[in-house]
């Protein structure tokens, strides 16, 4: 298989790994958001109790939503790797589009198409930023063998 190995689990195990990671991110991120929201909407004197109640009520729901998205994305990504026989930036872009469309299928083909385009664009942006960062922090390639740099001239710029 060509492409970049990100040091991840092989595909069948990657799906479960991503489901768990997505659930954790959704539960923690959603918990922090709903803690603040619950504290803001609670009466004075009961803010902490209101915030903790909001976490108890909402964090598992948000975590579950993230887990569904992560599981579908990983499943589509692994399927595309198996079909295309290579792991490149196009797989996550297409997997994002398929995931966005699949999650909106019950709302009709127009909504599914819009969300598929949006999912593909979001993942294209994420992949593009990742490639840009990788190129910025990577050391420059060594010069080819036998390459001699051109002679440098003094501050005058002349010979």
């Amino acid at each position: 298989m060509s492409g970049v190995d990100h040091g991840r689990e092989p595909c069948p195990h990657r799906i479960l790994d991503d489901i768990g990671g997505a659930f954790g991110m959704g539960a923690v991120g959603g918990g922090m958001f709903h803690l603040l929201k619950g504290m803001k909407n609670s009466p004075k004197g009961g803010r902490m109790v209101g915030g903790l109640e909001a976490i108890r009520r909402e964090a598992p729901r948000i975590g579950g939503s993230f887990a569904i998205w992560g599981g579908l994305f990983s499943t589509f990504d692994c399927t595309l790797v198996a079909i295309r026989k290579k792991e490149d930036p196009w797989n996550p872009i297409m997997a994002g589009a398929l995931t966005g469309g699949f999650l909106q299928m019950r709302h009709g083909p127009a909504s599914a198409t819009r969300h598929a385009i949006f999912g593909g664009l979001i993942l294209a942006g994420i992949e593009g930023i990742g490639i840009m960062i990788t190129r910025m922090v990577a050391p420059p390639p060594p010069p080819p063998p036998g390459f001699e740099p051109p002679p440098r001239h003094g501050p005058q710029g002349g010979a």
Side-chain angles (χ1 to χ4, degrees), residues 51-150:
L52 293 174
E53 176 62 24
I55 290 175
R56 185 196 63 76
R57 189 179 58 247
E58 300 295 334
R61 184 179 58 82
I62 303 291
S65 295
F66 271 65
I68 290 170
W69 198 96
L72 280 173
F73 175 81
S74 241
T75 302
F76 285 132
D77 191 28
C78 287
T79 303
L80 289 167
V81 168
I83 291 171
R84 297 181 69 229
K85 304 283 190 247
K86 60 181 171 179
E87 196 162 339
D88 61 3
W90 287 107
N91 289 342
I93 293 169
M94 290 187 288
L98 289 168
T99 301
F102 188 81
L103 289 172
Q104 286 297 312
M105 280 177 37
R106 65 183 176 173
H107 296 289
S111 179
T113 302
R114 278 192 310 272
H115 282 81
I117 292 168
F118 185 70
L121 289 174
I122 291 290
L123 267 295
I126 291 170
E127 287 295 315
I129 289 170
I131 290 169
M132 231 174 38
I133 289 172
T134 302
R135 286 188 179 165
M136 285 181 2
V137 300
F147 174 78
E148 290 188 30

Side-chain angles (χ1 to χ4, degrees), residues 13-83:
H13 303 291
R14 181 186 303 182
I15 296 168
L16 291 175
D17 192 37
D18 286 351
I19 289 171
F23 180 84
M25 283 192 297
V28 170
M32 289 190 301
F33 175 80
H34 284 288
L35 171 69
L36 297 175
K37 186 176 175 185
M39 289 173 73
K40 176 184 171 268
N41 293 329
S42 295
K44 197 171 190 173
R47 294 194 191 275
M48 188 53 102
V49 172
L52 293 174
E53 176 62 24
I55 290 175
R56 185 196 63 76
R57 189 179 58 247
E58 300 295 334
R61 184 179 58 82
I62 303 291
S65 295
F66 271 65
I68 290 170
W69 198 96
L72 280 173
F73 175 81
S74 241
T75 302
F76 285 132
D77 191 28
C78 287
T79 303
L80 289 167
V81 168
I83 291 171

